Amino acid sequence: MGDPQSNTEVCSSVFLIPVHLSPTREFLRHGTPKEANLDRIPAFTKLEGPCRFQLNPTHSATFSRRVPYSPTIMNSVELSDLESRRITNKLAPIYSIPSELLAEIFKFGQVLQWEDNELAGTSTSQLVVDQSFEVLVTHVSSHLREVAIGTPQLWSDITISSRISSAELETYLERTDGCALDVRIETGYTMPMDPLMIAQIDTIFLHSIRYRQLVIDCVYESSAQLVVQRFSGVAMPNLKHLSIGIDTVEGLFPPGRRRSLGTETPYLSFVRLRGLALAIFSLQHHTITTLHLDQTTFTPILYSTFRRLITSLSTLQNLSLYGDLFSPMTTPWTVLAIRDPIDIPTLLRLRISGVGGDMYSGILQGIIAASLTSIVLKNLKQYDLQPFVDSPSSSIKFPLLHELVLIDPDMTSDEYTQLFHTFPTTTSFAVYHRETADVLRLLADDPTDGFIPWPRLRTLSLIVDDSDDHVVADIVERRQALGCPLERIRLGTTGLLSSIPHFSWLQDHVLVDGFVTFEAWPETNLRDLKDTLFQ
């Protein structure tokens, strides 16, 4: 309260005292110390302010004599201030919201922050903060803090890296209160690994039965630095999502001997093997529906090994292949496709990004997947699809296919025309590249010999800039005139959709959506931060 000898005393807040203490209230209001009885002053119950009251010189001397400075009284005022602010906060409308609903709002806010942080550096990014949402919300008020700490799911996303302390890890684990965990381990490039990080890995390892998601990004695995190997064969009964990436290995895994990814994983549905993990681990699970094989290091596998791996997954629905997976083959792809085809009757979605061109036609020719509905091809170059396009049965091989996505293609107009014939049942087409004029013009051209490109096409997705505005409108108008109207246009742009000159006209004729990032593949409730190779 300042110097007790001063004529002006400053209270940090207004003191609201119970009604029966009217003499004290009168003292605080009017500065009449003779009416005050400090023995009757309880802990203050509400403080707002600041407030000043003035003591005249006569009152000042009396006040100093009758109310000496007391640390006990000062501490009571400070504690009362905190308590009174809590009471005041409870009058706010947010206190009327049920805690369960607040918890759901917090979860939604956490996801928004994740998404915004992933957009960091783009023009669509909002404020990106270093502190995580779940921590920030605990600093708003005691009520929000209580709700946040009492929401275990807010604390279940744990990343082991150089950015987290052991104390933070223990706090997060304590607040998860036994719920399922989404764990990420990022070892970094420091060699040898920090002993504190090793201790944190040991700590999180003890909670393996709670893993819902486990992502290990290991730069270096050796006998002196075990990261991935310690999880091999460990029971993880609640695991659904497993992603392992290994850059370098030193003398741990004997050639030709593959290790199992884990035991007792009845719910495991998503697996990613990246880098050397492709050559180290085997898949012996009959529940996997999504498989990513990412060859980021040159570790080719035999075609027979790949075939045996894929055919062992009886529930596989989504297959993503990155890099040139196979060892150089003396037998051509076409011969292998006829002699040893890969039958995947449950496959619905396929993604391919190759370095050389053989992967595209090789996989499309080599698989039997009559249920396939979606194909995504990245970095497709001229002639890469030619062997498949030239095969007699290419246009009828995937009778249920309705979605085709091209990412950064380098193709001629003639090759786009071949796609129209090769995948005639396409209803949704996406091309993510700045140079799309050729294919857009073809989609809007008058029929040649009565042939209309993709007559069932209903959804078109593309990246646009100002130069493409009129082209998009032309496509919509021309497709309507041809009797094959588009129903939906998805435009990738960093600006506002409303700034597109023909936007109002487009809205009158089709459903128009905007996007700034690629959608998750496949759609899942779990975050997949490692799906960056197809972006």
Side-chain angles (χ1 to χ4, degrees):
M1 294 177 62
D3 183 0
Q5 301 298 327
S6 172
N7 287 342
T8 301
E9 302 297 336
V10 179
C11 292
S12 60
S13 301
V14 170
F15 301 169
L16 299 186
I17 310 301
V19 172
H20 69 276
L21 293 177
S22 57
T24 305
R25 183 183 294 113
E26 290 300 317
F27 165 69
L28 293 174
R29 287 180 175 176
H30 307 296
T32 54
K34 63 181 180 180
E35 297 180 0
N37 184 351
L38 295 181
D39 294 335
R40 297 176 61 188
I41 299 179
F44 300 115
T45 58
K46 184 173 181 182
L47 301 165
E48 299 176 351
C51 172
R52 293 178 180 268
F53 58 90
Q54 183 76 28
L55 294 178
N56 60 42
T58 303
H59 291 158
S60 177
T62 306
F63 183 83
S64 299
R65 182 171 59 254
R66 297 187 60 183
V67 191
Y69 175 78
S70 169
T72 302
I73 294 177
M74 296 304 297
N75 290 336
S76 296
V77 172
E78 291 174 359
L79 292 174
S80 300
D81 179 75
L82 177 62
E83 180 63 24
S84 69
R85 290 180 187 277
R86 289 176 177 170
I87 295 173
T88 303
N89 285 340
K90 290 182 180 179
L91 300 176
I94 197 171
Y95 272 75
S96 64
I97 300 177
S99 297
E100 296 80 5
L101 181 56
L102 275 179
E104 294 303 316
I105 293 172
F106 291 166
K107 294 175 192 176
F108 184 70
Q110 187 181 53
V111 172
L112 288 180
Q113 188 193 49
W114 289 342
E115 293 176 350
D116 207 55
N117 286 346
E118 291 170 19
L119 291 174
T122 70
S123 60
T124 56
S125 175
Q126 304 299 318
L127 177 63
V128 178
V129 295
D130 293 331
Q131 194 66 270
S132 61
F133 179 88
E134 63 273 13
V135 173
L136 286 172
V137 77
T138 62
H139 293 277
V140 177
S141 72
S142 59
H143 176 57
L144 298 191
R145 175 180 174 84
E146 181 181 351
V147 173
I149 292 178
T151 307
Q153 294 80 4
L154 274 181
W155 310 92
S156 63
D157 193 275
I158 298 175
T159 299
I160 305 297
S161 70
S162 59
R163 299 181 297 275
I164 187 173
S165 67
S166 298
E168 288 177 283
L169 175 59
E170 293 293 346
T171 298
Y172 270 67
L173 287 173
E174 179 182 355
R175 293 177 179 177
T176 59
D177 194 28
C179 76
L181 300 178
D182 298 330
V183 176
R184 295 172 182 81
I185 300 176
E186 302 173 356
T187 63
Y189 291 88
T190 302
M191 301 297 165
M193 194 160 55
D194 188 343
L196 291 178
M197 181 178 290
I198 295 176
Q200 291 173 2
I201 294 175
D202 291 338
T203 298
I204 203 68
F205 179 77
L206 300 176
H207 297 266
S208 62
I209 61 171
R210 293 204 280 147
Y211 293 168
R212 179 178 62 172
Q213 182 178 28
L214 177 61
V215 178
I216 304 177
D217 189 5
C218 183
V219 175
Y220 184 75
E221 176 89 352
S222 70
S223 56
Q225 180 177 296
L226 295 179
V227 178
V228 178
Q229 183 170 291
R230 71 178 66 195
F231 292 91
S232 177
V234 174
M236 293 178 275
N238 294 296
L239 190 67
K240 295 181 179 180
H241 178 122
L242 178 63
S243 178
I244 298 180
I246 305 176
D247 290 348
T248 306
V249 170
E250 180 184 344
L252 279 175
F253 305 95
R257 180 183 175 185
R258 291 176 174 265
R259 295 178 176 268
S260 64
L261 283 170
T263 60
E264 301 179 25
T265 54
Y267 303 110
L268 183 62
S269 60
F270 181 106
V271 172
R272 171 181 289 108
L273 299 180
R274 178 170 291 180
L276 293 177
L278 274 168
I280 294 173
F281 292 100
S282 63
L283 299 175
Q284 299 175 354
H285 304 79
H286 300 288
T287 57
I288 296 175
T289 59
T290 300
L291 177 63
H292 293 245
L293 300 179
D294 299 339
Q295 190 200 62
T296 55
T297 59
F298 187 67
T299 52
I301 60 178
L302 296 174
Y303 176 81
S304 57
T305 302
F306 173 77
R307 180 180 180 278
R308 186 166 55 251
L309 167 67
I310 298 301
T311 55
S312 69
L313 304 177
S314 59
T315 57
L316 186 63
Q317 298 178 8
N318 311 294
L319 178 60
S320 178
L321 305 174
Y322 179 86
D324 293 340
L325 294 173
F326 308 117
S327 303
M329 294 176 292
T330 55
T331 306
W333 270 104
T334 51
V335 176
L336 288 174
I338 296 173
R339 188 179 66 190
D340 295 312
I342 305 173
D343 191 6
I344 323 176
T346 57
L347 189 66
L348 301 177
R349 301 170 192 86
L350 174 66
R351 288 199 312 184
I352 305 173
S353 178
V355 178
D358 292 341
M359 275 289 294
Y360 303 98
S361 287
I363 292 295
L364 293 176
Q365 285 183 284
I367 65 172
I368 301 174
S371 299
L372 191 67
T373 62
S374 173
I375 294 178
V376 179
L377 304 174
K378 182 179 180 181
N379 291 331
L380 193 66
K381 307 297 182 185
Q382 294 184 34
Y383 310 116
D384 285 348
L385 278 183
Q386 202 62 47
F388 174 69
V389 169
D390 291 341
S391 62
S393 61
S394 61
S395 62
I396 59 173
K397 185 165 188 177
F398 306 118
L400 301 182
L401 185 75
H402 64 78
E403 181 183 47
L404 179 64
V405 179
L406 302 181
I407 304 174
D408 296 332
D410 181 12
M411 301 170 60
T412 65
S413 298
D414 289 342
E415 287 175 314
Y416 278 118
T417 300
Q418 288 178 333
L419 287 184
F420 301 149
H421 293 276
T422 304
F423 304 115
T425 57
T426 299
T427 62
S428 176
F429 176 60
V431 53
Y432 300 135
H433 192 267
R434 288 295 180 185
E435 301 296 330
T436 58
D438 285 347
V439 65
L440 297 184
R441 189 190 71 254
L442 291 171
L443 288 173
D445 275 351
D446 291 329
T448 301
D449 298 329
F451 174 76
I452 300 175
W454 288 330
R456 304 180 192 176
L457 187 66
R458 295 296 178 264
T459 301
L460 178 62
S461 305
L462 62 154
I463 298 174
V464 297
D465 54 31
D466 293 340
S467 62
D468 296 323
D469 295 341
H470 68 283
V471 179
V472 176
D474 287 346
I475 292 177
V476 173
E477 187 175 20
R478 287 295 304 146
R479 299 289 296 193
Q480 286 181 335
L482 292 172
C484 305
L486 294 173
E487 297 175 355
R488 183 186 183 195
I489 293 283
R490 299 181 65 248
L491 302 177
T493 176
T494 56
L496 297 175
L497 286 177
S498 57
S499 64
I500 298 178
H502 300 282
F503 181 69
S504 296
W505 184 90
L506 288 173
Q507 279 190 310
D508 292 337
H509 294 80
V510 292
L511 175 65
V512 183
D513 296 331
F515 66 91
V516 293
T517 59
F518 294 154
E519 56 272 15
W521 190 98
E523 292 186 5
T524 175
N525 293 328
L526 298 178
R527 297 172 69 199
D528 186 13
L529 298 180
K530 293 300 177 182
D531 192 20
T532 58
L533 299 179
F534 282 81
Q535 301 299 314

